[in-house]
């Protein structure tokens, strides 16, 4: 009979239990109906919305849900969804956060074969033994100093006035200061400034490429305790990037 409707009503449910009455249309999930339990072999079909409602009831009421009995006694194939547990993501502890400070005070001294860059730093000789890293390029350098694992002092010069010999450059740790020795590639050139600036009518400036050439890294430090390897300063190729 096309107009005949079958209803399955629960008995003995817990107070305030969720009840759903659904017609058997728009089938997407099938299972044994009450007629199946009596041996008739007919099928009951549920829509997507009905399945969602059933799962919501199961999630809220657990064993008290009427649909728990449907699953258990009538062989219904609907199963509750696994709870959506957020994936745990490891967070950096505060001890691994590094504060970066730009070195604003330094002085340049031009010599015949090299240029010296003096950076005043109180307690320089007490720096960690691996607390300094300098990366020299053909016409650039980046200096990184870590007095401790959480602080980094940096001086980055993307374009020097003239070219240097990266493999011959060095860094010295003295009382109250750090000194960079930049070996000139052309010793007859006079350095009147450290950083190359664009002058009036300078058509070559825009052709210069910062951080060009092979990177040569020199490390140094003071008499302080060595930093863990993951906290020691690092110089990489290319422009200065994020702190690790």
């Amino acid at each position: 009979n096309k107009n005949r409707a079958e209803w399955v009503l629960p008995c003995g449910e817990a107070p305030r239990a969720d009840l759903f009455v659904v017609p058997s249309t728009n089938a997407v999930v099938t299972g044994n109906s009450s007629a199946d339990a009596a041996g008739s072999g007919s099928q009951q079909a549920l829509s997507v919305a009905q399945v969602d409602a059933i799962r919501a009831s199961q999630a809220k009421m657990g064993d008290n849900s009427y649909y728990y009995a449907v699953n258990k006694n009538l062989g219904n194939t609907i199963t509750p969804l696994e709870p959506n547990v957020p994936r745990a993501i490891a967070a950096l502890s505060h001890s691994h956060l590094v504060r970066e400070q730009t070195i604003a005070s330094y002085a340049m001294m031009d010599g015949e074969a090299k240029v010296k860059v003096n950076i005043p730093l109180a307690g320089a000789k007490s720096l960690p033994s691996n607390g300094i890293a300098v990366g020299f390029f053909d016409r650039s350098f980046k200096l990184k100093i870590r007095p401790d694992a959480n602080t980094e002092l940096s001086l980055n010069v993307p374009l020097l006035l003239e070219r240097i010999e990266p493999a011959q450059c060095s860094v010295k740790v003295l009382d109250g200061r750090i000194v960079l020795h930049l070996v000139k590639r052309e010793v007859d050139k006079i350095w009147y400034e450290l950083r190359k600036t664009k002058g009036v009518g300078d058509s070559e400036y825009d052709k210069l490429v910062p951080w060009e050439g092979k990177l040569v890294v020199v490390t140094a430090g003071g008499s302080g305790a060595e930093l863990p390897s993951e906290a020691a300063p690092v110089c990489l190729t290319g422009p200065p990037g994020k702190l690790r």
Side-chain angles (χ1 to χ4, degrees), residues 34-186:
S34 60
D36 294 331
S40 65
S42 62
Q43 295 290 314
Q44 181 182 12
L46 302 177
S47 69
V48 173
Q50 293 161 2
V51 171
D52 289 344
I54 291 171
R55 283 174 170 159
S57 173
Q58 291 172 333
K60 180 179 180 181
M61 302 301 297
D63 292 358
N64 289 328
S65 171
Y66 160 63
Y67 295 103
Y68 174 79
V70 172
N71 279 341
K72 183 176 180 181
N73 299 324
L74 301 183
N76 198 299
T77 57
I78 301 171
T79 56
L81 292 176
E82 292 294 327
N84 185 17
V85 180
R87 182 170 60 90
I89 299 176
L92 288 176
S93 66
H94 179 72
S95 62
H96 288 83
L97 300 179
V98 179
R99 301 182 300 273
E100 183 178 16
Q101 301 175 25
T102 300
I103 297 172
S105 177
Y106 60 88
M108 186 202 76
M109 295 174 55
D110 182 37
E112 290 185 3
K114 64 179 65 173
V115 174
K116 295 181 181 180
V117 182
N118 286 275
I119 299 104
L121 182 64
K125 283 201 167 183
S126 297
L127 285 170
S129 57
N130 58 344
I132 301 174
V134 192
F136 297 105
F137 298 79
D138 286 351
R139 199 167 182 163
S140 317
F141 76 79
K142 55 179 73 170
L143 165 67
K144 297 179 181 293
I145 304 172
R146 291 211 176 171
D148 55 65
N150 300 324
T151 305
E152 181 167 288
L153 312 177
S154 63
L155 176 59
N156 301 305
V157 180
L159 278 177
L160 292 164
L161 182 65
E162 301 291 346
R163 293 184 178 276
I164 59 176
E165 296 288 354
Q168 299 177 33
C169 296
S170 60
V171 56
K172 302 294 184 182
V173 180
L174 304 176
D175 286 330
R177 59 191 173 121
I178 306 294
V179 183
L180 302 183
H181 291 248
L182 309 179
V183 177
K184 295 180 179 180
R185 182 167 297 185
E186 298 174 90

Side-chain angles (χ1 to χ4, degrees), residues 22 77 81 100 121 126 128 206 211 215 225 235-236:
V22 296
T77 57
L81 292 176
E100 183 178 16
L121 182 64
S126 297
D206 294 331
W211 315 111
L215 169 65
C235 291
L236 304 175

Side-chain angles (χ1 to χ4, degrees), residues 181-243:
H181 291 248
L182 309 179
V183 177
K184 295 180 179 180
R185 182 167 297 185
E186 298 174 90
V187 296
D188 60 328
K189 294 289 184 70
I190 297 175
W191 288 44
Y192 53 86
E193 62 182 355
L194 183 65
R195 299 172 182 264
K196 171 71 173 176
T197 55
K198 185 175 183 178
V200 177
D202 186 356
S203 60
E204 297 298 315
Y205 180 84
D206 294 331
K207 299 178 183 179
L208 301 176
V209 181
W211 315 111
E212 187 179 32
K214 183 180 179 180
L215 169 65
V216 176
V217 177
V218 177
T219 59
S223 59
E226 182 177 304
L227 291 170
S229 58
E230 64 274 13
V234 175
C235 291
L236 304 175
T237 57
K242 294 182 179 179
L243 296 174

Side-chain angles (χ1 to χ4, degrees), residues 5-7 20-27 44-47 50 67:
E6 293 184 357
W7 308 97
F20 296 89
V21 179
V22 296
S24 57
T25 58
N26 301 323
Q44 181 182 12
L46 302 177
S47 69
Q50 293 161 2
Y67 295 103

